Amino acid sequence: MRREKKHVNFGSLVKCMREHFGKVQDGRQNGKVSYELADIALSGFACMFFQDPSLLQFQKRMQDKRQRSNLRTLFEVAEIPESTQLRDVLDSLSSESFRPLLKQYFARLQRGKHLEMFQFLKNQYLISLDGTQYFSSKNISCPHCLTRRYASGEVTYSHQAVQAAAMHPELKQVIPIFAEDIRNNDGSNKQDCEINAAKRLVDKLRTDHPHLGIILLGDGLYSHHGMVEEVLKHNMHYIFVAKPNDHQLEHNFGHGSQFLAFNFYLLTILAFFLHQIFELTDLLYREARNRWSKRFIWEQLR
């Protein structure tokens, strides 16, 4: 008989997310709050979990009575916010508020001993660092955008991040840990870079997981004295090699002026995290994945 572990089942993980965002400080004025912060965060998460290609399409589907019922049943969303208000609220939400939730999910996998198979050497885990671009435009920008100017005078605005994830060469699952935004500060002429973001991420990684044995993986960008010193300072090992390939994300759900783009990126990571948890812990989910492609499964669910 299949025995379900309650601390990593869907209902438990969603409840954990709702409780977390229920405690996050809401900077909105009380008289102007139409939707709870938890409802907004979970609505955005549901869009990512079902892998909708756009927020607008997701919003249109949620207008259907049955779809609204599903959102309440599955994600405990009492009131579904309009897409404009969802973007506005997520834009003002500090991205650091996602960090404790990812730490909680990681701890739940540890508690269930699901991470033991990820050990590469005794009590050591391979943690990959990789830069990714999740927004790019020649027309839309904010004070935090990275800029690239060409000889022709053309300017490209972008948002990038450094992602940390646990992996094992013999396993197909990848466990996201956190991501650090490569983000320009207001009023600063100095542009942020992937190395500086990686150093900040390494510091947060050791703060959140003080006893975790870590072997950091990275491409040739990280193979220099300053980064190695930072890694050793935090009692970590490293394997940094040159890697020629780069990658892009295909869709974006909004830019905003503060945190919106990165928060949608973090909601995508959370959705991916839950998919990976179910691949590790849920027999029915694994059976469905063995029978059908991911694309077919999510088209049917949507």
Side-chain angles (χ1 to χ4, degrees), residues 28-249:
R28 295 173 293 168
Q29 297 179 17
N30 290 333
K32 298 183 179 180
V33 175
S34 302
Y35 304 97
E36 291 184 10
L37 180 58
D39 280 350
I40 289 172
L42 281 158
S43 295
F45 171 76
C47 178
M48 305 303 157
F49 186 84
F50 287 126
Q51 299 189 14
D52 265 288
S54 78
L55 188 62
L56 182 61
Q57 287 186 25
F58 172 77
Q59 199 69 36
K60 286 181 177 179
R61 288 197 300 106
M62 289 304 107
Q63 293 173 2
D64 178 81
K65 184 177 180 181
R66 187 177 66 173
Q67 295 287 358
R68 282 180 174 269
S69 177
N70 287 339
L71 197 62
R72 289 192 180 97
T73 302
L74 294 173
F75 299 96
E76 302 179 7
V77 174
E79 296 293 335
I80 304 170
E82 296 296 328
S83 59
T84 300
Q85 186 155 11
L86 188 150
R87 285 189 175 97
D88 288 344
V89 175
L90 286 178
D91 190 24
S92 63
L93 179 64
S94 171
S95 301
E96 278 292 301
S97 61
F98 290 85
R99 183 175 157 194
L101 184 59
L102 285 155
K103 181 182 176 181
Q104 285 189 58
Y105 285 167
F106 191 87
R108 289 188 179 214
L109 286 176
Q110 281 184 311
R111 173 180 155 196
K113 301 188 183 302
H114 298 292
L115 292 180
E116 289 184 352
M117 67 182 78
F118 281 86
Q119 289 187 19
F120 183 68
L121 299 173
K122 186 178 181 181
N123 299 323
Q124 297 290 322
Y125 295 85
L126 296 175
I127 306 293
S128 173
L129 296 178
D130 200 7
T132 182
Q133 179 173 285
Y134 59 91
F135 178 87
S136 179
S137 174
K138 291 184 173 68
N139 303 308
I140 301 172
S141 67
C142 73
H144 309 293
C145 277
L146 303 175
T147 58
R148 184 174 182 181
R149 302 181 184 277
Y150 299 89
S152 62
E154 187 177 70
V155 181
T156 299
Y157 304 99
S158 68
H159 282 277
Q160 301 170 25
V162 180
Q163 168 71 52
M167 55 185 62
H168 191 283
E170 296 178 0
L171 297 173
K172 64 179 181 179
Q173 292 82 13
V174 176
I175 305 301
I177 298 179
F178 196 59
E180 179 69 18
D181 207 11
I182 306 173
R183 173 186 177 87
N184 290 334
N185 294 320
D186 287 321
S188 175
N189 294 323
K190 186 176 181 180
Q191 184 147 272
D192 196 13
C193 67
E194 183 174 336
I195 285 296
N196 288 339
K199 290 178 179 179
R200 297 194 299 270
L201 182 55
V202 166
D203 182 65
K204 293 176 182 179
L205 180 60
R206 181 50 79 205
T207 299
D208 289 350
H209 306 281
H211 306 298
L212 192 69
I214 294 175
I215 303 173
L216 287 178
L217 304 179
D219 60 22
L221 180 67
Y222 301 100
S223 301
H224 65 83
H225 182 73
M227 187 64 190
V228 169
E229 273 194 337
E230 190 71 19
V231 170
L232 295 177
K233 183 178 77 175
H234 289 88
N235 194 29
M236 299 177 184
H237 305 284
Y238 63 92
I239 302 173
F240 294 151
V241 295
K243 186 175 66 172
N245 296 327
D246 196 7
H247 60 275
Q248 298 181 350
L249 296 172

